[in-house]
Amino acid sequence: MRVIIVGGGIAGLATAWSLQKSGVQVTLLEQGPLPNPQASSVDDHRLIRYPYGPRLGFTRMVGDAYAAWDEMWADLGERHYVETGTLVLGGPADAYNKATVATLAHAGHTVDWLTEAELARDYPLLEEAAIATGGFRMNSGGALRCGRIVQALARHLAFLGADLRPHSPVVDVDPVLAQVTLSDSTRLTADAVVVTAGAWATKLLPALASTLTPSRQVIVYVAPPPETVATWQRMPMLLNIGENNAGFYLVPPIPGTGLKIGDHRFSRTGDPDAPRTATIAEARAVLEQCRGQIRNLDAYRILEPKACFYTVEPHESFVFHQQDKLLAVSACSGHGFKFGSIIGKTAASLVQGQRDLAEVKHWATGV
Ligand SMILES: Cc1cc2nc3c(=O)[nH]c(=O)nc-3n(C[C@H](O)[C@H](O)[C@H](O)COP(=O)(O)OP(=O)(O)OC[C@H]3O[C@@H](n4cnc5c(N)ncnc54)[C@H](O)[C@@H]3O)c2cc1C
């Protein structure tokens, strides 16, 4: 069997990894360099953690994703994961956290609710207001070093003989013929085409625009006050999510990376091909999300605001759209990297007719 994959982010590369293990001949077309720094999948890190609000399916999927990452590390001979643990801010009175903990319990995970005194003792960088509200801790959760992962996957696939073609923008897909047309008018045909084009998916397949919206997201790297650096290096990831997926997430500095803060809210605007500069004002707005949560916030210096793109699906589900010999996959809504390993395996199974589309679509809702 021969399969063409369009897009070399984590979804495309992990699909290629899984297909190649089954003996499928893979051609992967990437519009830019491979990896492409414009892709969602290329940054220092992406978080993986069990707390997922009331979504039992996603909570369970995290365990499956961890297993698939382990399988990938074994194949790559490299492990690109740093466990930090997870601290979720907000007490048991918070409806979202209450639902999260009930769902975690259903999936077999226990959490440590922390008293005010325990939070003050263990996390002195938190503001009194955050400490008074409460929170819970899990030992699991950490950072997937995403840029290194996609680089290692591309290297591994090339070594095993996959046909990887950077700088090969696809401008058209024919689902019936399983044929793609490149910008230089070259046509390539296979037995199936998988489109994993991230935030560009709706440009190539406009029919997906009814489901997927590109979303420009700003993150900020900050320099904490020097006297707090050593403490930050021992901190878990911080999540302050709450209802409607508002709030912030914070990635503590793991070796070779800085302190990163991101905003859970979706912008649902922007063009992934437009200039990517983010302003200091935008970065400050992200940092302000931490006001009342992190002590002495005004002493944190903005180092690097960054704009990045992903697509948003209204229910934050993943998308598996099959039409004739085309499978379009969107690992979207700002939470797809952690599941990249399992999404690649799932896409590979669908292409090979080993899983049922309706069952996969339900799985992808994370309910
Ligand atoms: C700021 C930010 C923070 C995030 N944090 C987290 C997190 O903590 N945890 C988590 O799990 N997820 C997180 N995510 C989401 C995660 O990064 C994405 O869900 C995931 O990387 C999407 O992977 P992908 O392969 O679908 O898309 P991408 O990585 O964007 O890859 C798509 C690729 O397709 C290529 N392409 C597009 N069109 C064409 C074409 N026509 N021809 C050829 N190639 C094409 C693109 O150049 C690109 O390389 C975050 C995302 C962002 C932006």
Side-chain angles (χ1 to χ4, degrees), residues 6-12 29-32 36 39-41 46-47 168-170 196-200 204 217 219 249 308-310 331-332 334-338:
V6 182
I10 189 60
L29 305 166
E30 165 55 49
Q31 62 183 356
N36 184 345
S40 293
S41 306
R46 296 288 182 249
L47 296 174
S168 301
V170 171
T196 48
W200 294 264
L204 189 57
Q217 301 294 134
I219 52 170
Y249 59 90
C308 169
F309 271 85
Y310 48 68
C332 46
H335 68 125
F337 198 96
K338 69 176 72 57

Side-chain angles (χ1 to χ4, degrees), residues 265-351:
R265 293 168 303 179
F266 302 132
S267 82
R268 290 190 170 88
T269 57
D271 177 350
D273 289 317
R276 292 288 181 96
T277 41
T279 66
I280 293 292
E282 288 176 307
R284 188 152 298 288
V286 175
L287 186 58
E288 278 302 314
Q289 291 273 315
C290 305
R291 177 122 358 237
Q293 308 287 312
I294 293 171
R295 196 183 287 270
N296 199 14
L297 193 67
D298 292 325
Y300 286 67
R301 244 178 343 107
I302 292 174
L303 291 177
E304 190 193 359
K306 274 178 91 171
C308 169
F309 271 85
Y310 48 68
T311 51
V312 175
E313 195 275 344
H315 307 289
E316 299 178 34
S317 304
F318 301 130
V319 172
F320 290 84
H321 167 82
Q322 216 162 17
Q323 180 192 347
D324 301 308
K325 295 172 183 168
L326 162 72
L327 173 67
V329 179
S330 181
C332 46
S333 302
H335 68 125
F337 198 96
K338 69 176 72 57
F339 299 119
S341 53
I342 192 88
I343 282 173
K345 284 170 72 93
T346 303
S349 309
L350 275 176
V351 168

Side-chain angles (χ1 to χ4, degrees), residues 26 29 37 69 76 100 111 119 144 172 177 226 267 279 289 305 325:
V26 171
L29 305 166
W69 287 117
L76 296 176
T100 301
V111 308
L119 273 166
L144 290 156
D172 191 44
L177 297 179
S267 82
T279 66
Q289 291 273 315
K325 295 172 183 168

Side-chain angles (χ1 to χ4, degrees), residues 70 73 81 104 151 181-182 187 237 245 253 266 293 302 352:
D70 282 342
W73 308 147
Y81 172 66
L104 283 165
Q151 202 156 32
T181 307
L182 276 65
R187 289 208 167 98
M237 75 171 84
N245 215 9
F266 302 132
Q293 308 287 312
I302 292 174
Q352 295 173 94

Side-chain angles (χ1 to χ4, degrees), residues 32-275:
L34 184 65
N36 184 345
Q38 302 282 75
S40 293
S41 306
V42 182
D43 193 355
D44 288 332
H45 29 45
R46 296 288 182 249
L47 296 174
I48 178 166
R49 34 80 177 182
Y50 280 99
Y52 245 99
R55 306 282 274 264
L56 180 61
F58 283 140
T59 308
R60 288 190 168 137
M61 210 190 281
V62 173
D64 296 335
Y66 267 119
W69 287 117
D70 282 342
E71 183 185 333
M72 192 184 285
W73 308 147
D75 288 351
L76 296 176
E78 306 168 22
R79 189 168 188 270
H80 297 293
Y81 172 66
V82 179
E83 190 124 290
T84 61
T86 308
L87 178 62
V88 180
L89 299 174
D94 177 301
Y96 185 86
N97 281 356
K98 207 166 145 183
T100 301
V101 172
T103 308
L104 283 165
H106 202 76
H109 301 281
T110 50
V111 308
D112 296 330
W113 280 111
L114 299 172
T115 62
E116 206 174 318
E118 287 167 331
L119 273 166
R121 180 197 64 202
D122 295 348
Y123 305 111
L125 299 175
L126 296 180
E127 185 78 84
E128 281 87 349
I131 288 169
T133 318
F136 69 84
R137 176 167 59 193
M138 296 180 81
N139 291 332
S140 60
L144 290 156
R145 306 192 74 148
C146 55
R148 296 184 187 191
I149 293 170
V150 287
Q151 202 156 32
L153 269 175
R155 213 170 37 230
H156 175 74
L157 289 164
F159 177 71
L160 293 179
D163 178 14
L164 305 183
R165 303 194 195 181
H167 305 291
S168 301
V170 171
V171 293
D172 191 44
V173 180
D174 184 327
V176 176
L177 297 179
Q179 186 175 76
V180 298
T181 307
L182 276 65
S183 58
D184 65 1
S185 302
T186 306
R187 289 208 167 98
L188 300 173
T189 308
D191 299 305
V193 176
V194 180
V195 172
T196 48
W200 294 264
T202 53
K203 292 195 178 203
L204 189 57
L205 302 173
L208 294 179
S210 59
T211 319
L212 297 172
T213 310
S215 189
R216 178 178 174 277
Q217 301 294 134
V218 174
I219 52 170
V220 58
Y221 281 89
V222 295
E227 67 280 9
T228 67
V229 168
T231 311
W232 272 117
Q233 283 166 338
R234 295 192 300 272
M235 282 289 281
M237 75 171 84
L238 285 186
L239 300 177
N240 180 341
I241 306 178
E243 299 292 348
N244 307 321
N245 215 9
F248 71 92
Y249 59 90
L250 181 150
V251 192
I254 59 172
T257 74
L259 178 58
K260 184 170 92 177
I261 302 169
D263 196 337
H264 277 295
R265 293 168 303 179
F266 302 132
S267 82
R268 290 190 170 88
T269 57
D271 177 350
D273 289 317

